[in-house]
């Protein structure tokens, strides 16, 4: 029963609609009606500005982190904490508070990794920032990082055990599932990337819009 309650709690944490609630409460805007219509961090930056975007980013990461730490906080043994992170990701993408229409799972997934292995989180974050500098596109950087992360869950125990000392096939399975989902949720972005019309951040090597 305790496990079930904590799993549901993790889902509810993931369901916290950071971008939508901050937009409605502080800016009197529903970000779903502007920009890409997405509820996540990137659209918050675009619609509400940098400060709101940073707050939403941190909140979405924290959702995944706190959910993954629930079994540690409540002394629940013999249950892999990644399952709780998965429930937060599920809540973020299918939030009960937004009629199950949520974000793309990138930041909350990162939060899960931060709780599970902070060094692996920073390793992946550095790759993301490098990709963002090279491409100036959050969407493309997110997809490339998802692939990189999934492959790293397999390779790092052999080539860099200091970062990831042993295989966790549940982590690999989750990473693969999240990667597939991220690509699915970015299908419109992929089309715009092919057309050369994808939105770009105002820095990096390719920051100018075509």
């Amino acid at each position: 029963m305790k496990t079930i309650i904590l799993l549901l709690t993790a889902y509810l944490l993931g369901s916290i609609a950071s971008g939508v609630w901050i937009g409605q409460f502080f800016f009197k805007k529903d970000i779903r009606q502007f920009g890409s219509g997405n509820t996540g961090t990137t659209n918050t930056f675009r619609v509400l500005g940098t400060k709101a975007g940073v707050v939403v980013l941190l909140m979405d990461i924290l959702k995944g982190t706190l959910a993954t730490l629930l079994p540690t906080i409540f002394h629940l043994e013999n249950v892999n904490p990644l399952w709780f992170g998965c429930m937060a990701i599920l809540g973020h993408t299918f939030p009960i508070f937004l009629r199950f229409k949520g974000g793309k799972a990138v930041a909350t997934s990162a939060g899960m990794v931060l709780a599970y292995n902070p060094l692996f989180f920073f390793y992946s974050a550095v790759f993301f920032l490098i990709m963002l500098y090279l491409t100036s596109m959050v969407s493309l950087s997110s997809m490339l990082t998802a692939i990189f992360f999934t492959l790293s869950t397999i390779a790092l125990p052999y080539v860099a055990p200091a970062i990831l000392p042993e295989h966790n096939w549940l982590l690999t399975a989750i990473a693969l599932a999240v990667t597939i989902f991220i690509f699915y949720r970015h299908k419109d972005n992929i089309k715009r990337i092919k057309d050369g019309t994808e939105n770009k951040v105002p820095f990096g090597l390719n920051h100018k819009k075509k």
Side-chain angles (χ1 to χ4, degrees):
M1 181 60 69
K2 185 177 181 180
T3 300
I4 294 174
I5 291 174
L6 290 179
L7 286 171
L8 289 174
T9 301
Y11 169 79
L12 292 175
L13 283 171
S15 290
I16 294 172
S18 311
V20 174
W21 291 353
I22 285 177
Q24 291 176 337
F25 187 80
F26 292 102
F27 297 87
K28 308 304 179 185
K29 282 186 177 181
D30 186 339
I31 63 172
R32 293 171 294 182
Q33 306 301 320
F34 300 91
S36 66
N38 190 260
T39 64
T41 300
T42 303
N43 201 40
T44 303
F45 271 102
R46 187 177 299 124
V47 176
L48 303 180
T50 302
K51 290 182 179 179
V54 170
V55 171
V56 170
L57 173 63
L58 294 176
M59 288 180 67
D60 285 350
I61 290 175
L62 182 60
K63 293 190 301 187
T65 301
L66 185 57
T68 307
L69 290 175
L70 284 176
T72 301
I73 294 171
F74 290 94
H75 308 289
L76 185 66
E77 300 179 354
N78 301 319
V79 180
N80 195 314
L82 291 173
W83 288 118
F84 297 85
C86 283
M87 290 301 292
I89 293 170
L90 190 65
H92 180 77
T93 52
F94 303 105
I96 191 171
F97 304 124
L98 296 180
R99 298 183 180 180
F100 307 105
K101 295 179 180 179
K104 297 178 179 178
V106 177
T108 304
S109 299
M112 176 187 71
V113 178
L114 177 59
Y116 178 74
N117 186 325
L119 189 57
F120 197 11
F121 167 84
F122 288 110
Y123 160 87
S124 303
V126 168
F127 180 85
F128 172 81
L129 292 174
I130 292 172
M131 291 301 101
L132 186 59
Y133 176 75
L134 293 176
T135 68
S136 298
M137 290 181 279
V138 175
S139 56
L140 181 57
S141 301
S142 297
M143 290 184 283
L144 291 174
T145 301
I147 295 172
F148 177 75
F149 181 88
T150 302
L151 295 176
S152 294
T153 64
I154 300 172
L156 282 182
Y158 295 105
V159 300
I163 299 175
L164 191 65
E166 60 183 7
H167 285 294
N168 185 327
W169 291 109
L170 176 59
L171 179 63
T172 301
I174 292 171
L176 180 59
V178 170
T179 297
I180 293 171
F181 182 78
I182 286 174
F183 269 77
Y184 171 74
R185 290 302 297 268
H186 282 83
K187 58 183 183 296
D188 292 336
N189 303 82
I190 293 171
K191 184 178 184 302
R192 290 195 295 270
I193 291 170
K194 290 179 179 179
D195 295 339
T197 58
E198 176 66 332
N199 290 311
K200 295 182 179 180
V201 297
F203 58 83
L205 296 181
N206 298 290
H207 67 278
K208 292 182 179 180
K209 294 183 179 180
K210 295 184 178 180

